[in-house]
Amino acid sequence: MKMRISLLIFAFCVAFVPGKAEIKVHTLTTDYKTNPLGIDNPVPGLSWIITSDRDNTIQASYEIRAAHSRKDVVKGRKLIWKTDQVESSRSVHVKYGGAPLSSFQKVYWQVRVRDNHGERSKWSEPASWEMGIMQENDWKARWISPDLKEEQGRSMPSPYLRKEFDLSGRIKEARLYISSQGLYQVEINGSRIGNQEFTPGWTSYNTRLQYQTYDVTGKLMQHQNAMGIILGDGWFRGRLGWRQGRSVWGDELAAIAQLMVTYADGSKEIFITDDSWQATTGPIMQSDIYDGEEYDAGRELTGWSTPGYDAARWQHVKSVDIVKTRLIAPEGPPVAIIEELPPLSLHKQGDQWIVDMGQNMVGWIRIRARGKNGDVITLRHAEVLDKAGNMYYDNLRSARATDIYHLKGAGEEVFQPHFTFHGFRYVSVSGYPGVLTTDDIRGMVIHSDMEPAGTFTCSDSLINQLQHNILWGLKGNFLDVPTDCPQRDERLGWTGDAQVFAPTACFNMNTATFYTKWLKDLAADQAADGMIPHVIPNLLGGGGATGWADAGVVIPWVVYLNYGDVSVLQNQYESMKRWIGYMQVHAGEDFIWSGDRHFGDWLAFASNRSDYMGAYTTTDLIATTYYAYSSGIVARVAAILGKEADARYYRDLSEKVKAAFNDEFVTPNGRLVAHTQTAYTLALAFDLLDGETVKKSAAYLARDVEQFGHITTGFLGTPLILLTLTKFGMNDLAYKLLNRKEYPSWLYPVTMGATTIWERWDGQKPDSTFQDPGMNSFNHYAYGAVGKWLYQVVSGIGIDENNPGYKHMIIHPRPGGGLTAARASHKSMYGQIVSGWKLEGEELTMEVEIPANTTATIYIPGDPSGILINGSPLSSSGMEYKKNRDNVMAETGSGHYTIVTTL
């Protein structure tokens, strides 16, 4: 049978109209951010997007100019930097090359470009960035701590700090620079400043502590003003880890704030934290990340952050010396309330209300009530209900996940917590005065405020729900660090989970600065011998587990491939080398890493069948595969950075480990000593096999998949198995694993009503009972790493590793598995990419968008002689192409085309 295939390739630009060609420059960013305040990178990377109404447009040259005022840069005067016309197609991560910058300076910049058609753009709209506090001696403020009596060993009432100050002149602009040990919220003149949550964020507190910069110009008044700061325990002093420990980084909460005011006449004035501030406690009786918050509205300090408030009974603060920690500007996105969810339903159960938010989410509940003084509302959070419809708390372990609100009895009252978050779908509300309605309650969804970047849909509703679960697993666990889970007494930055999920995360969200920030904490917490801890920031103490610690090599590489940003490689290179050195020491002269404690293929399938040994893959095999793989990555990084001697050294090391792996773990007929899906997947995915051994091992992998009929991999094998099957021509088996609906599979949790990815393949069993509550998260993104295969194989958007950041992309969808349609989009540094297809009878229509200043290789099935481009033969389209066994590979740039082919 012949199949007629129609491919539609739509460009980012519209069709070219002679005489009206125009190229535009827009979406200017500085270190990925739009007009950022308070950065401390002295040579930030500048990026822009170009669009054109002409096909096949590539930037041929660019010019950049910069000045300290918007007027000056627009008029091209008093410039601090002006490039010549730079002959380059580079439009991302162009390093600032102007006059050296100092603290507090603001820079406005513009860019214009010329394209390969000879068209020149207008100067772009100005963008800007503002430097933060770059030198330690520019901090005039003192660290202060509330001098209040506190008990150690439990969460205490949150301290409130305040200070009044007078502004004598007309205010032109004002900036607030602020940080804390613990968490803070800040108010000026009764208004909360900023929309960020959980500031100053979670870093390696012993070495790096972030401060935030706020534009508070509109919050200040001439003459009397007041500032107030609330402190919470947070990660710094609160309960953290399952060992019931507190005060991991210290037991004293503290704050530092510096307000810089510029008056209309150009004069400046600084107001700082010092020992003239006052402190007390208020309505937040306790607030802990794991356990929740208790708030007594009857103790509210009405007007406490406004001038004229009576603080006569407040206590003094004390100045404290904090010298071990360096204050740094934030690099990653802030945590914020991103959306509000209304309840799906609620019902009365005994003396409590059970509220279903319809989505396993991370954040908290905002509740509205009217009652009398002394009424107490208690909210408890859970991810699932048991088979009887009761709230299921066992998998939270010791986390109480409970918020308590004491009403003051003054009309309508609204409560939401300040310094805690929960992972939940269901909420038990007890003590509510009156009848609770869905209008009285909202789910406040929080996560790091990353720009959405990717979408995926297809003709199968279960797979669409899987994508939904992948995305919400990302949202729930990207809360300033990539955590493993958001609900139990853990919520830590496990390196293994982060490593396997990074490619999927980068497709769905712009995670560049999120990972860049976290990787610097990884390097800061790395031991002198190169050991990388299990969790970052490090509070557990252990480390050096293969597949987990390799995050220090793999994630910088993934970020580079997705965003084309060499700075992440430069920043992490020494850390990457130290990890390889650690593996060298522990593997020894035979290059086989055995004997150390590793997590292995965590939570792999355990078979009960008598004819199989389950799916246990020996840890020495896994460790050695990662030793070879990570060494090879470092060799490639060294070459990119121009370190040729290092590149040769690590290439040679990787080859030696590869040879040792084959000698130790591969039989002459291509069988691995650990005869598991994960063993074959890692060996094949990491290119550790040669010649006929590759074919034989691929056949063993296929046979294992066919015999089991399902996936048996754990955390390390799962992200790679479908990609490996596709790579070796077994796409039918990959689709078979994807489409399976019984345990174990990706779709089994979907059939059980999951709205996020589970930690275990069978977190909830078919009879609605649960797995071991000691480790059974229902929001654990690791298995969601299958997303990369959905985007790269099903919809067909792929990265060319030789031209990273989607400068050149691979469009290669591979329909199958009974799907009749699929579509994905991704917002790259150059603009939006789309690849989609729809099958109607024997005709297949593909939709593709390719942004300007990029090129693509399009894989078109069929014979070149039968392919039409916009109604004309491929041979007259101007595209270069060649034929392989299954496809025509056509090279193209931005443009829109309709391609018709017959198989």
Side-chain angles (χ1 to χ4, degrees):
M1 178 189 298
K2 288 189 174 183
M3 180 180 292
R4 186 172 179 79
I5 298 184
S6 180
L7 285 83
L8 300 179
I9 300 185
F10 296 90
F12 191 76
C13 46
V14 298
F16 169 59
V17 179
K20 293 186 178 180
E22 185 177 16
I23 184 169
K24 295 181 180 179
V25 182
H26 58 92
T27 316
L28 277 62
T29 56
T30 304
D31 283 345
Y32 299 93
K33 300 176 182 179
T34 302
N35 302 330
L37 289 180
I39 71 171
D40 58 12
N41 181 1
V43 285
L46 310 180
S47 303
W48 56 89
I49 291 177
I50 68 173
T51 54
S52 172
D53 54 10
R54 191 166 182 173
D55 296 349
N56 295 303
T57 294
I58 295 290
Q59 176 185 290
S61 64
Y62 67 83
E63 301 169 77
I64 300 175
R65 64 187 185 188
H68 284 310
S69 78
R70 182 184 180 93
K71 287 184 179 179
D72 285 341
V73 76
V74 169
K75 292 182 179 295
R77 67 190 184 192
K78 299 181 183 178
L79 298 178
I80 61 172
W81 183 37
K82 186 179 189 304
T83 69
D84 296 325
Q85 183 170 296
V86 180
E87 302 297 325
S88 172
S89 68
R90 187 173 186 179
S91 59
V92 299
H93 316 304
V94 176
K95 291 296 184 181
Y96 169 72
L101 301 173
S102 57
S103 297
F104 319 123
Q105 285 188 314
K106 191 160 190 173
V107 177
Y108 292 86
W109 64 286
Q110 293 177 291
V111 61
R112 70 178 176 185
V113 304
R114 187 182 295 275
D115 68 18
N116 57 320
H117 307 298
E119 299 293 333
R120 190 172 75 172
S121 74
K122 298 176 182 178
W123 284 103
S124 67
E125 283 296 307
S128 67
W129 77 85
E130 185 173 293
M131 304 308 295
I133 300 181
M134 300 180 67
Q135 304 296 329
E136 186 175 351
N137 59 11
D138 288 326
W139 278 100
K140 308 303 180 185
R142 296 292 308 276
W143 281 99
I144 60 172
S145 181
D147 197 7
L148 303 170
K149 183 178 179 180
E150 293 186 332
E151 298 178 24
Q152 299 301 317
R154 69 182 185 89
S155 179
M156 296 296 295
S158 286
Y160 283 59
L161 315 176
R162 77 181 305 273
K163 169 75 174 182
E164 294 191 18
F165 54 95
D166 185 77
L167 299 179
S168 57
R170 188 161 59 90
I171 302 161
K172 178 183 178 183
E173 65 178 18
R175 299 288 186 267
L176 175 64
Y177 307 91
I178 182 170
S179 186
S180 63
Q181 286 193 160
L183 303 176
Y184 76 81
Q185 290 184 2
V186 60
E187 298 181 9
I188 292 179
N189 296 330
S191 296
R192 184 174 171 189
I193 303 302
N195 63 352
Q196 302 184 24
E197 306 290 343
F198 293 91
T199 49
W202 192 8
T203 53
S204 174
Y205 290 137
N206 288 336
T207 55
R208 290 160 36 88
L209 180 60
Q210 297 180 140
Y211 68 88
Q212 281 71 40
T213 302
Y214 300 99
D215 180 353
V216 295
T217 308
K219 302 294 185 180
L220 297 175
M221 303 180 294
Q222 195 168 355
H223 304 305
Q224 284 299 110
N225 294 265
M227 184 189 305
I229 302 171
I230 314 173
L231 297 177
D233 289 346
W235 298 287
F236 181 84
R237 194 177 76 166
R239 188 158 77 89
L240 206 58
W242 55 86
R243 298 168 181 167
Q244 302 295 317
R246 299 186 61 83
S247 302
V248 173
W249 283 278
D251 55 19
E252 189 169 49
L253 300 182
I256 187 170
Q258 183 161 308
L259 175 65
M260 300 188 63
V261 179
T262 302
Y263 294 111
D265 64 3
S267 62
K268 299 179 183 293
E269 195 168 5
I270 298 177
F271 301 90
I272 63 173
T273 45
D274 57 22
D275 55 15
S276 67
W277 282 57
Q278 295 174 282
T280 192
T281 56
I284 304 175
M285 305 305 295
Q286 60 180 12
S287 192
D288 186 276
I289 287 176
Y290 291 169
D291 295 330
E293 180 168 303
E294 182 173 2
Y295 186 95
D296 186 348
R299 295 171 55 90
E300 287 179 342
L301 307 169
T302 304
W304 71 281
S305 65
T306 60
Y309 175 81
D310 182 5
R313 304 181 69 176
W314 286 43
Q315 306 298 309
H316 295 295
V317 301
K318 59 184 178 181
S319 296
V320 292
D321 292 322
I322 299 174
V323 296
K324 63 182 179 180
T325 300
R326 180 169 62 95
L327 285 167
I328 58 170
E331 197 157 7
V335 176
I337 298 171
I338 305 300
E339 56 188 301
E340 299 182 16
L341 295 183
L344 179 65
S345 65
L346 59 79
H347 67 276
K348 196 73 179 291
Q349 186 183 78
D351 61 355
Q352 64 181 344
W353 296 89
I354 303 297
V355 182
D356 179 4
M357 301 308 299
Q359 172 64 52
N360 196 4
M361 56 166 282
V362 174
W364 54 75
I365 288 295
R366 186 186 69 201
I367 191 166
R368 181 178 63 187
R370 288 177 177 268
K372 63 182 183 300
N373 183 284
D375 285 345
V376 179
I377 300 173
T378 301
L379 300 98
R380 296 191 67 188
H381 305 78
E383 293 186 289
V384 291
L385 303 178
D386 67 18
K387 62 194 308 181
N390 300 313
M391 298 280 284
Y392 181 72
Y393 301 118
D394 291 357
N395 71 319
L396 305 183
R397 302 194 303 214
S398 69
R400 291 195 293 272
T402 301
D403 294 334
I404 301 172
Y405 179 65
H406 300 255
L407 279 76
K408 59 186 175 184
E412 183 175 285
E413 302 178 44
V414 178
F415 166 71
Q416 60 182 347
H418 299 72
F419 301 120
T420 190
F421 67 87
H422 311 289
F424 65 99
R425 172 172 173 170
Y426 299 94
V427 187
S428 161
V429 182
S430 59
Y432 188 84
V435 177
L436 181 66
T437 72
T438 55
D439 291 334
D440 296 320
I441 199 164
R442 285 294 179 270
M444 313 304 284
V445 178
I446 66 167
H447 57 78
S448 290
D449 192 7
M450 303 163 290
E451 181 184 12
T455 65
F456 173 85
T457 59
C458 70
S459 56
D460 189 303
S461 61
L462 295 182
I463 297 174
N464 289 340
Q465 183 65 40
L466 173 63
Q467 165 63 14
H468 172 98
N469 296 359
I470 290 169
L471 182 59
W472 276 86
L474 186 162
K475 291 178 179 180
N477 284 290
F478 276 47
L479 202 155
D480 210 46
V481 305
T483 61
D484 58 327
C485 62
Q487 74 295 92
R488 66 189 181 212
D489 56 356
E490 193 164 354
R491 316 185 199 187
L492 306 179
W494 281 95
T495 49
D497 305 54
Q499 184 262 124
V500 300
F501 189 70
T504 295
C506 288
F507 184 90
N508 282 286
M509 296 280 189
N510 187 331
T511 59
T513 60
F514 178 88
Y515 280 129
T516 299
K517 172 258 184 186
W518 184 73
L519 287 168
K520 289 183 178 179
D521 288 310
L522 182 148
D525 280 345
Q526 189 173 11
D529 65 355
M531 184 272 288
I532 293 175
H534 298 321
V535 299
I536 302 296
N538 182 24
L539 61 108
L540 298 182
T546 191
W548 271 249
D550 292 277
V553 171
V554 175
I555 295 180
W557 182 244
V558 169
V559 172
Y560 167 72
L561 291 179
N562 278 270
Y563 304 103
D565 189 354
V566 73
S567 67
V568 69
L569 305 181
Q570 294 167 333
N571 293 337
Q572 300 301 129
Y573 184 63
E574 292 302 320
S575 170
M576 298 165 86
K577 289 203 310 181
R578 293 204 309 275
W579 169 241
I580 302 301
Y582 180 89
M583 288 197 283
Q584 285 181 281
V585 169
H586 285 259
E589 295 182 358
D590 66 357
F591 302 103
I592 302 298
W593 191 359
S594 60
D596 291 320
R597 181 180 181 272
H598 299 290
F599 296 114
D601 192 29
W602 190 250
L603 295 181
F605 174 75
S607 175
N608 294 319
R609 292 168 57 180
S610 59
D611 54 339
Y612 287 100
M613 295 294 292
Y616 176 73
T617 307
T618 55
T619 58
D620 53 350
L621 182 149
I622 294 173
T624 306
T625 64
Y626 267 97
Y627 184 14
Y629 178 56
S630 289
S631 298
I633 290 176
V634 174
R636 297 179 70 177
V637 171
I640 291 166
L641 299 181
K643 302 176 184 292
E644 291 303 326
D646 280 4
R648 288 191 297 271
Y649 175 81
Y650 289 109
R651 275 197 298 270
D652 180 64
L653 174 62
S654 183
E655 288 300 317
K656 287 178 179 177
V657 179
K658 176 180 174 180
F661 175 87
N662 279 269
D663 289 343
E664 182 75 11
F665 299 112
V666 185
T667 67
N669 67 354
R671 182 186 174 105
L672 300 184
V673 296
H675 191 58
T676 64
Q677 291 176 15
T678 290
Y680 289 110
T681 293
L682 293 179
L684 291 165
F686 294 167
D687 294 321
L688 302 186
L689 308 174
D690 293 316
E692 288 299 312
T693 304
V694 173
K695 297 179 182 178
K696 292 177 179 178
S697 291
Y700 278 122
L701 173 60
R703 191 177 309 162
D704 192 89
V705 170
E706 289 168 342
Q707 288 178 330
F708 269 97
H710 60 73
I711 197 168
T712 65
T713 52
F715 274 31
L716 297 183
T718 296
L720 299 171
I721 186 168
L722 298 193
L723 291 165
T724 303
L725 289 169
T726 298
K727 177 181 177 180
F728 289 95
M730 298 176 285
N731 213 39
D732 55 338
L733 287 180
Y735 271 109
K736 179 180 180 180
L737 291 180
L738 175 69
N739 283 327
R740 179 180 167 88
K741 299 175 182 62
E742 298 78 25
Y743 160 78
S745 69
W746 285 283
L747 297 185
Y748 167 72
V750 173
T751 67
M752 296 296 290
T755 61
T756 45
I757 299 296
W758 293 355
E759 181 175 21
R760 294 177 178 269
W761 291 118
D762 59 342
Q764 187 170 15
K765 299 178 181 180
D767 63 358
S768 294
T769 59
F770 300 109
Q771 255 283 4
D772 178 5
M775 191 170 59
N776 195 24
S777 163
F778 291 95
N779 193 349
H780 222 91
Y781 57 63
Y783 287 146
V786 68
K788 180 182 179 181
W789 185 82
L790 295 177
Y791 322 136
Q792 181 175 309
V793 175
V794 179
S795 63
I797 299 177
I799 294 171
D800 178 356
E801 294 192 359
N802 295 316
N803 294 276
Y806 297 97
K807 180 65 172 171
H808 180 83
M809 67 206 72
I810 309 298
I811 304 296
H812 189 185
R814 276 149 284 197
L819 298 180
T820 59
R823 183 184 190 274
S825 69
H826 178 71
K827 185 177 181 182
S828 73
M829 294 295 294
Y830 300 93
Q832 180 166 270
I833 304 162
V834 173
S835 176
W837 53 269
K838 184 176 182 181
L839 181 64
E840 294 180 297
E842 296 182 350
E843 184 172 89
L844 184 70
T845 301
M846 286 183 61
E847 174 195 4
V848 178
E849 284 187 17
I850 303 166
N853 205 29
T854 67
T855 57
T857 301
I858 310 292
Y859 283 72
I860 306 169
D863 187 87
S865 63
I867 296 173
L868 300 178
I869 309 293
N870 288 342
S872 299
L874 172 63
S875 58
S876 60
S877 67
M879 290 185 183
E880 295 184 2
Y881 62 90
K882 60 182 179 180
K883 179 78 168 68
N884 67 9
R885 187 182 67 179
D886 300 316
N887 296 277
V888 172
M889 294 177 290
E891 305 296 332
T892 187
S894 59
H896 67 275
Y897 316 92
T898 300
I899 302 176
V900 179
T901 185
T902 301
L903 290 182

